[in-house]
Amino acid sequence: MDRLTNTIRPYAWGSTTAIAELLGVAPSGEPQAEMWMGAHPGAPSRTGRGALNEVIAADPEHELGTAAVAKFGPRLPFLLKLLAAGAPLSLQVHPDLAQAKQGYADEERRGVPIDAPHRNYKDANHKPELICALTPFDGLCGFRAPGETADLLEALDVDSLKPYVDLLRAQPEEAALREVLTAVLSADPEQMAETVTEVTAAAQRLGGVHEPYASIAHHYPGDPGVIAAMLLNYVQLQPGEALFLGAGVPHAYLNGLGVEIMANSDNVLRCGLTPKHVDVPELLRIVRFEATDPGVLRPEGSSTGEEVYETPIDEFLLSRFVLPEGAAPHDLTAATPQILLCTAGSVRAGELTLEPGQSAFVPAGEKAEVSGVGTLFRATVVA
């Protein structure tokens, strides 16, 4: 079992306090958005044996297990993170596996540099993800019913929104959502900025269900993503609750601290709330234009004390142990690779003691017994 030393990414939207408070250290004064735990080459965790990606590459079958290598190849198929949003992230969607392979091959064929700002596909993998709240956590997830969005927009009493309201009421669901999102993202930038300014003032005045969008606009004044965000379900998670984000589902995280796990991919198509490239035609090819329930997940308990967040994919499986005083040790030994993350209390994992924010990598088949008083997240795969 290897104690992990992890990189904190200072993205501008990150909270300046949340990760520091969890770790029990003084804030640096800079945004701290994500702490990465895994073998992603962009910021691999470090172990006493070297960078985790290099450790795995040296002997994948020992580190990952034969079943995981056979199913996912010689690499850790997931990335675990602490995510601390102090401001909204970009509104975005992720491709499914077939779309990612096609998009990556096309950009490779056309010679688009992998680090080009307008490049959409950094790899040929999909990027399903799960976010589990550690604090109250706000986000946007999936389209709300067009009629409900029409009511939300109409209440703002902004003339330039009326064509969108009419489309949402008159067209079938898929056509309504597609036409309105296309119109918002294709509108004249100056005219859209004026609309967003009017919407912001109206949302501030009305408050209530409109308040989240006034807050978003405060961070991204004039951005068409403010109007696009109003097409989506607003979700408030309580600690322990989670959201699963599948392919084609537009989403954005707004505020809060959580544990995030995802397939090991960088593929993102942005819809707004960002100064980065927005490829409208490719985005419209990827988005699933259907109203969905956000589907807040609560962990399924078991007789072993493990609470599992069930998802329909195999690249990752996230579960949680809430360890009370006096509880018997849990044997987590498995034939698959694991990362263990403590988020509260003090947990003994093998020979290591994990405090909040500390983590460990457990190679496949290695003995992994945990005890103590606290909360421990376990990330592994279904192989």
Side-chain angles (χ1 to χ4, degrees), residues 142-186:
F143 290 109
R144 67 159 62 86
E148 294 176 13
T149 299
D151 292 342
L152 187 77
L153 297 181
E154 191 170 46
L156 294 165
D157 195 26
V158 173
D159 286 345
S160 53
L161 294 181
K162 290 179 180 178
Y164 304 150
V165 172
D166 292 342
L167 283 170
L168 290 166
R169 295 205 195 283
Q171 296 285 355
E173 178 178 285
E174 180 179 353
L177 295 172
R178 179 182 292 275
E179 289 186 32
V180 172
L181 184 62
T182 302
V184 168
L185 297 182
S186 305

Side-chain angles (χ1 to χ4, degrees), residues 25-360:
V25 300
S28 67
E30 300 298 320
Q32 294 182 317
E34 297 179 347
M35 186 173 80
W36 287 21
M37 292 158 279
H40 192 287
S45 298
R46 298 174 298 284
T47 77
R49 298 183 288 154
L52 186 56
N53 58 335
E54 295 173 354
V55 169
I56 291 171
D59 192 350
E61 293 213 349
H62 171 74
E63 303 296 335
L64 306 177
T66 55
V69 171
K71 190 166 187 177
F72 304 111
R75 62 186 184 88
L76 190 66
F78 64 82
L79 177 63
L80 184 67
K81 300 178 180 180
L82 281 173
L83 183 146
L89 283 67
S90 62
L91 192 60
Q92 59 190 256
V93 296
H94 306 303
D96 63 25
L97 191 55
Q99 291 165 339
K101 288 179 177 178
Q102 179 185 352
Y104 180 78
D106 175 64
E107 289 187 322
E108 286 289 281
R109 178 184 55 79
R110 292 190 286 115
V112 181
I114 199 73
D115 58 351
H118 62 285
R119 173 113 187 193
N120 293 315
Y121 298 94
K122 304 298 178 65
D123 53 69
N125 199 17
H126 62 164
K127 191 188 176 187
E129 59 190 46
L130 176 82
I131 184 77
C132 176
L134 294 179
T135 67
F137 194 97
D138 297 348
L140 304 170
C141 178
F143 290 109
R144 67 159 62 86
E148 294 176 13
T149 299
D151 292 342
L152 187 77
L153 297 181
E154 191 170 46
L156 294 165
D157 195 26
V158 173
D159 286 345
S160 53
L161 294 181
K162 290 179 180 178
Y164 304 150
V165 172
D166 292 342
L167 283 170
L168 290 166
R169 295 205 195 283
Q171 296 285 355
E173 178 178 285
E174 180 179 353
L177 295 172
R178 179 182 292 275
E179 289 186 32
V180 172
L181 184 62
T182 302
V184 168
L185 297 182
S186 305
D188 176 80
E190 290 188 7
Q191 292 179 356
M192 178 52 65
E194 292 177 6
T195 295
V196 173
T197 298
E198 290 185 62
V199 165
T200 303
Q204 289 173 333
R205 183 180 69 254
L206 292 171
V209 296
H210 294 89
E211 192 281 329
Y213 307 101
S215 177
I216 292 170
H218 169 74
H219 292 284
Y220 296 98
D223 193 304
V226 174
I227 310 301
M230 300 185 76
L231 301 174
L232 307 187
N233 296 297
Y234 173 61
V235 186
Q236 293 181 294
L237 299 179
Q238 296 305 310
E241 296 181 334
L243 286 175
F244 173 72
L245 292 312
V249 177
H251 61 277
Y253 303 143
L254 304 179
N255 185 68
L257 176 67
V259 175
E260 185 182 37
I261 190 167
M262 61 186 62
N264 211 345
S265 170
D266 275 339
N267 290 326
V268 175
L269 281 299
R270 295 176 179 86
C271 318
L273 308 183
T274 178
K276 295 182 179 179
H277 177 63
V278 177
D279 184 337
V280 175
E282 185 64 12
L283 170 73
L284 298 175
R285 190 177 77 86
I286 299 302
V287 172
R288 288 169 47 197
F289 288 99
E290 59 183 32
T292 58
D293 185 304
V296 174
L297 295 177
R298 296 169 181 85
E300 298 290 333
S302 71
S303 59
T304 65
E306 184 173 22
E307 300 175 324
V308 178
Y309 294 90
E310 297 285 355
T311 68
I313 54 92
D314 294 342
E315 281 90 341
F316 61 76
L317 179 66
L318 186 71
S319 58
R320 183 182 69 166
F321 292 85
V322 180
L323 305 173
E325 189 170 357
H330 294 272
D331 184 0
L332 304 189
T333 306
T336 51
Q338 304 178 71
I339 291 180
L340 306 179
L341 167 67
C342 176
T343 59
S346 180
V347 177
R348 186 77 176 172
E351 298 300 314
L352 304 177
T353 298
L354 302 180
E355 305 292 338
Q358 296 181 345
S359 56

